[in-house]
Every structure is written in structure tokens, then in C-alpha cells.
Amino acid sequence: MEISKKAREAIEDIINRRAKIASMQEQLKEDVKAVAEHLDIKPGKLNKIIGLVEKERQSGEVVEEERDTLDTVESLVGEREE
């Protein structure tokens, strides 16, 4: 396969951008870990919080739906204990 100079440059650009994304993802992971440690929670819990905030900002009503779900769980657990 013959690769033109333009195609080669485009491929190199993609490789460089992928490397930048991987670096940014690693930095985000470290940032989440540091903030979670500061808050004395697990990074997974912080990621869940962040995900819910992002969903709420995008579409709304996510918090209310989660609250309804938790209320249902609480109700079911309460019924079991009785």
C-alpha cells in the first residue's frame, strides 16, 4: 500500500492525539483519586457522583429519578426488616 505524505501526516496526527487523550485520561484518574482521598470516599463513588452530575446537566431529572430509585430500595429494605 502506498501512503502519501498527506495521509502519513494525518496518521501521525491521529497517533499524537490518541497519546494526548491517554495522557489526559491518566491525569483525570489521578485527579479523581486525589479528590476522593480528600473527601475520604472511594474513587468509584466519586466517579458515580460525577457521572450523575454530568447526566443531570445534560438532560435533567436524573437526580429525581435516582432519588425515586433510592426511595424504592429503602421501602423494600424497610419492609423486609418488619
Side-chain angles (χ1 to χ4, degrees):
M1 172 184 356
E2 189 77 26
I3 299 178
S4 69
K5 182 179 178 186
K6 186 175 182 177
R8 185 179 305 275
E9 289 171 353
I11 292 168
E12 284 296 326
D13 181 57
I14 291 168
I15 292 168
N16 290 334
R17 286 187 292 155
R18 289 178 95 175
K20 284 182 185 179
I21 289 169
S23 176
M24 288 178 6
Q25 287 174 324
E26 187 60 35
Q27 184 59 54
L28 280 172
K29 185 178 176 180
E30 292 300 317
D31 291 347
V32 166
K33 185 177 175 182
V35 172
E37 189 174 305
H38 176 75
L39 295 173
D40 197 28
I41 61 175
K42 292 183 179 183
K45 185 169 186 173
L46 179 57
N47 278 323
K48 183 172 183 173
I49 291 167
I50 291 168
L52 289 171
V53 169
E54 289 172 335
K55 287 179 185 178
E56 181 67 27
R57 288 180 178 172
Q58 289 174 0
S59 61
E61 297 185 20
V62 173
V63 171
E64 191 59 38
E65 289 174 13
E66 288 294 320
R67 188 172 288 121
D68 288 343
T69 301
L70 290 173
D71 287 346
T72 302
V73 169
E74 188 175 56
S75 173
L76 290 170
V77 170
E79 289 175 9
R80 185 184 68 182
E81 292 176 353
E82 293 176 359

